[in-house]
Amino acid sequence: MAGQNIFAESFRNSDVDQFQWLFGTSFEDSQSPILTARSGTSFTPGGIPGSSSAIDTSGNGALRLTNSSQQQGAFVIYDRPINSSSGLSVEFTLHSYGGTGADGISFFLVQGDQSPTSAGDPGGGLGYVNLQGAYLGIGYDEFGNFSNGRGGPGVRSQAVVVRGSQTNSYNYLTGTSLTGNRLDVPASQNGTRENSGRRTAINLSAAGILTVDLDLDRSGTFEANERVISNYNVVSTNGALPSTFKFGFAASTGALTNFHEIRDLSVNTFSGAYVPLVSFADDSQSIQPNGSTAITVELDAPTTQTVTIPLSFSGNAVRGTDYELSGTSITIQPGQTTGSVTLRGLNNTSGSTAKGVNVTIDRASGNFTGAALSPQDNQFNIVLTPLGSIDTSQPDMNGDQRIDLVWRSLETGQNAIWLADSSDQASGRNFYVRKYFIDSISDRNWQIVGSLDVNLDSKGDIAWRNTATGETAIWLADTTDQADGTNLFARKYFVETVDTNWQIVEATDVNGDNRSDFVWRNRATGQNAIWLADSSNQANGTTLFGRKYFIDSAILDWQVVASRDVNGDNKDDIVWRNRATGQNAIWLADAAEQGDGSNRFARQYLIDTLADSNWQIVDVADANGDNRADIMWQNRSTRQTAFWLADASNQANGTTLFARQYFLDFAPDSNWEVVAVRNANGDFKPDIVWRNQATGQDAIWLADVANQENGSNLFTNRYFIDSAPTDWRIRVRSAQAA
């Protein structure tokens, strides 16, 4: 009798319940496995595709491994290990019908540390023979070749056959001919799914004793004469059971054919409670000073007892100096599947390189109880980012290191936040599922001029400027209430009022302390200034920008277009463009003289001229992962885009700072504009956020550094995200509002 349920999947609906599946084909021209109730060949990562249009209605579908065509072969694998310590009891319904009688279906077990990317041999191999990491294969063999060769009795049709492991050369172990019965119902016998279903049960005890039952008469119960494999000792011929299994299905056709389908799968322990496997929910994370991350472990099934998971910490980061912990072990209560402790980065790494913390599960302590270690995801690596190496302009409102979108309505004065979530990158539809209104400001003279981190809490604050009065304000981010967004910006402070000719043209970190500073420009005189952020007094905001310095002036034709670190020294530089001549320039930041700001941008270099005024710099960000900010261009007339990749090999005159210049793809049409280049999915590469100003559509292009030679593959994954009304504008950078 089966014990505790581990896994269940009907395959009847338009999607699977858990997204842990691998799949593939055995023949070049074979159809992929499909869910017959799913419409469309796209699928969620870890899921299974459908056909171009759904074959069945939801609730009436099946997992189709082959259609009734020649030379078909496909497989699926549930790509998550299952603990074998309590044995396995597996039941499912197989359907073989509608063809000319071949080849068959196999159910198989592979070692839990394996993730095969291709099936075994098609045809008579039923997708099992020569499968990577195989331990045991049970073939429901219509034609008979699964019994042929490798120690088998020869061709034997309509048989249930057991073959051994990869180590055992997939040798024949045992089998039974179904005398007077068929596994399939061919087309000549009016074969349909409805009249072909056969329930089967595969039981493998913890000691390795195998039985297989098959509901030959389709009565819905397993009778004594329907035990087709009886008490076979797998261990004696096949070796000890692996500590963990993965399972899967395969099927194939050859010159003869059948539809091969699976329904109503249930996986249970053979007897007793399941001992869950524990693994880390993530394998890596990078956090900023004062930032934090949850070290989360998860069980593959709810526990029936208290589970204790002691953790071990190593790496070159020092506890108490570089980070602190909320605990060194995790307790998971009965009925639960997850638990966590929190690691918070400290500020004592200023001026250093990044440091690492390697977290593992401490099995040697003797305190590891109630679970077993999964062969997957058993180490969590944390990078502590040093001060001075963070893009403080990233509008990350909740500290998860993904770009959030800050919106303002030009009509109503409403404001909103879309928090990024990369749980569904396949379609982009779940990038921004958490959408909250924040406080409205009806006076449209108030403009959002930047999203920045002024108080070093690793969360993006909002800077406001009143274009009529010169008032300036800061809203500090607070994630105490993400449920409706009401408390995201509960702390709101006015800072110093400034003449309206002065404009905030960038919010950026010019001195490498990871706080966002203000770059000001006087549109009447050409004067420029820096306000350095200081969070020593957050009570009223009066000292948030206590250090204020004039820097060099520039004639009015020159415009500040962005500020980022282009030379890899962890200080943000200023990028200029001359709107009259098309000249471009870089002012490299130097914090050697903070007393009056006079030497802060002493190295000022002209870079390549681009005379065509239709080309505009839309943002500056690190496109290729070398920790230097690159320049992104868009042609406002043609909507062509391009990147100039930064290269610090010659800082003497700036001539080779941007020697590698690549065209990217055109925008879909002239209404599409780049509104931001930032990290959207948490991989620390800047992605492109697009907005169609005519339709309100929005899109994401995800960065991929696979091809830096010509830029063609820098943004290969492109997804539409939710639309927003055309009167709403994304506010990411100050230059947009200036």
Side-chain angles (χ1 to χ4, degrees), residues 618-699:
V618 292
D619 214 339
V620 178
D622 180 14
N624 60 341
D626 65 356
N627 294 319
R628 298 183 179 92
D630 312 302
I631 298 177
M632 184 175 181
W633 297 82
Q634 186 176 26
N635 190 307
R636 297 300 191 194
S637 175
T638 67
R639 285 304 188 262
Q640 196 173 13
T641 54
F643 255 110
W644 287 7
L645 299 183
D647 187 343
S649 60
N650 189 349
Q651 297 183 30
N653 57 23
T655 56
T656 61
L657 273 172
F658 298 95
R660 295 174 294 168
Q661 303 175 1
Y662 306 126
F663 286 104
L664 307 176
D665 289 349
F666 288 79
D669 62 57
S670 61
N671 292 312
W672 284 94
E673 294 184 359
V674 175
V675 294
V677 185
R678 297 289 187 275
N679 175 29
N681 61 343
D683 65 355
F684 302 99
K685 300 180 181 70
D687 312 302
I688 302 176
V689 181
W690 294 83
R691 179 151 172 80
N692 189 312
Q693 305 294 11
T695 67
Q697 282 185 292
D698 305 291

Side-chain angles (χ1 to χ4, degrees), residues 365-382:
S365 66
N367 298 319
F368 180 45
T369 60
L373 188 65
S374 172
Q376 299 182 163
D377 305 321
N378 53 20
Q379 181 166 299
F380 183 43
N381 300 311
I382 302 169

Side-chain angles (χ1 to χ4, degrees), residues 288 390-399 403-404 406 417 447-465 472-478 488-489 491 493 495 504-510 513-520 531-534 544-545 563-564 572 678 731-734:
Q288 304 173 4
I390 303 164
D391 182 2
T392 58
S393 68
Q394 177 96 346
D396 176 15
M397 303 301 157
N398 58 346
I403 178 179
D404 306 309
V406 183
I417 298 290
Q447 295 185 12
I448 296 173
V449 294
S451 176
L452 65 165
D453 180 14
V454 300
N455 60 342
L456 201 62
D457 65 355
S458 303
K459 300 179 180 70
D461 313 306
I462 297 177
W464 294 84
R465 175 91 165 138
T472 308
I474 297 289
W475 288 10
L476 298 181
D478 187 344
L488 276 172
F489 300 96
R491 296 172 294 168
Y493 307 123
V495 296
I504 299 172
V505 292
E506 263 295 2
T508 189
D509 179 18
V510 299
D513 66 356
N514 280 350
R515 297 180 177 91
S516 295
D517 313 306
F518 281 163
V519 180
W520 294 81
W531 286 13
L532 298 181
D534 185 344
L544 277 173
F545 298 95
S563 180
R564 300 291 181 273
D572 286 345
R678 297 289 187 275
R731 299 301 192 190
V732 175
R733 301 179 49 240
S734 53

Side-chain angles (χ1 to χ4, degrees), residues 154-482:
V155 176
R156 190 164 62 179
S157 63
Q158 306 299 330
V160 177
V161 179
V162 182
R163 284 196 171 271
S165 67
Q166 180 179 11
T167 304
N168 198 24
S169 301
Y170 312 93
N171 279 345
Y172 177 94
L173 301 185
T174 188
T176 300
S177 294
L178 305 179
T179 305
N181 293 281
R182 294 187 66 98
L183 289 161
D184 63 330
V185 184
S188 61
Q189 299 180 19
N190 192 33
T192 64
R193 180 188 296 157
E194 288 68 25
N195 65 15
S196 67
R198 300 280 191 274
R199 194 73 177 163
T200 187
I202 300 168
N203 291 287
L204 182 65
S205 74
I209 304 303
L210 174 70
T211 63
V212 180
D213 295 278
L214 183 64
D215 187 10
L216 297 170
D217 61 6
R218 302 180 66 230
S219 66
T221 62
F222 297 119
E223 299 161 9
N225 65 337
E226 293 178 327
R227 175 149 295 178
V228 293
I229 303 293
S230 180
N231 297 322
Y232 181 82
N233 191 330
V234 174
V235 171
S236 66
T237 54
N238 215 36
L241 300 185
S243 61
T244 61
F245 284 127
K246 294 177 182 177
F247 65 84
F249 299 92
S252 57
T253 68
L256 303 182
T257 65
N258 265 327
F259 290 100
H260 293 106
E261 297 175 343
I262 301 295
R263 270 181 168 175
D264 301 329
L265 169 67
S266 176
V267 181
N268 305 274
T269 63
F270 177 78
S271 63
Y274 180 72
V275 179
L277 297 174
V278 63
S279 60
F280 288 104
D282 299 298
D283 58 8
S284 64
Q285 183 62 271
S286 178
I287 61 172
Q288 304 173 4
N290 283 339
S292 62
T293 187
I295 303 170
T296 300
V297 296
E298 57 185 5
L299 306 177
D300 65 334
T303 174
T304 59
Q305 60 181 312
T306 301
V307 175
T308 301
I309 312 294
L311 303 175
S312 176
F313 299 85
S314 61
N316 63 351
V318 178
R319 184 180 178 185
T321 300
D322 302 308
Y323 67 94
E324 61 183 17
L325 296 163
S326 64
T328 57
S329 66
I330 297 171
T331 300
I332 303 176
Q333 300 298 330
Q336 303 300 306
T337 58
T338 62
S340 64
V341 296
T342 299
L343 182 146
R344 187 175 74 85
L346 301 176
N347 288 335
N348 296 347
T349 57
S350 179
S352 70
T353 60
K355 295 183 178 180
V357 184
N358 306 315
V359 189
T360 55
I361 294 171
D362 185 5
R363 292 180 294 172
S365 66
N367 298 319
F368 180 45
T369 60
L373 188 65
S374 172
Q376 299 182 163
D377 305 321
N378 53 20
Q379 181 166 299
F380 183 43
N381 300 311
I382 302 169
V383 175
L384 304 174
T385 306
L387 288 169
S389 64
I390 303 164
D391 182 2
T392 58
S393 68
Q394 177 96 346
D396 176 15
M397 303 301 157
N398 58 346
D400 65 355
Q401 302 183 41
R402 298 181 176 93
I403 178 179
D404 306 309
L405 299 183
V406 183
W407 294 84
R408 180 158 170 77
S409 171
L410 303 181
E411 299 293 331
T412 67
Q414 286 181 293
N415 305 292
I417 298 290
W418 289 10
L419 297 180
D421 185 343
S422 59
S423 59
D424 188 351
Q425 296 183 28
S427 64
R429 65 177 182 265
N430 286 344
F431 263 115
Y432 298 98
V433 294
R434 295 172 294 168
K435 304 171 183 177
Y436 308 124
F437 286 103
I438 57 177
D439 291 355
S440 297
I441 298 182
S442 58
D443 184 351
R444 285 184 287 176
N445 289 316
W446 281 102
Q447 295 185 12
I448 296 173
V449 294
S451 176
L452 65 165
D453 180 14
V454 300
N455 60 342
L456 201 62
D457 65 355
S458 303
K459 300 179 180 70
D461 313 306
I462 297 177
W464 294 84
R465 175 91 165 138
N466 191 309
T467 58
T469 67
E471 293 174 285
T472 308
I474 297 289
W475 288 10
L476 298 181
D478 187 344
T479 58
T480 56
D481 188 353
Q482 293 186 29

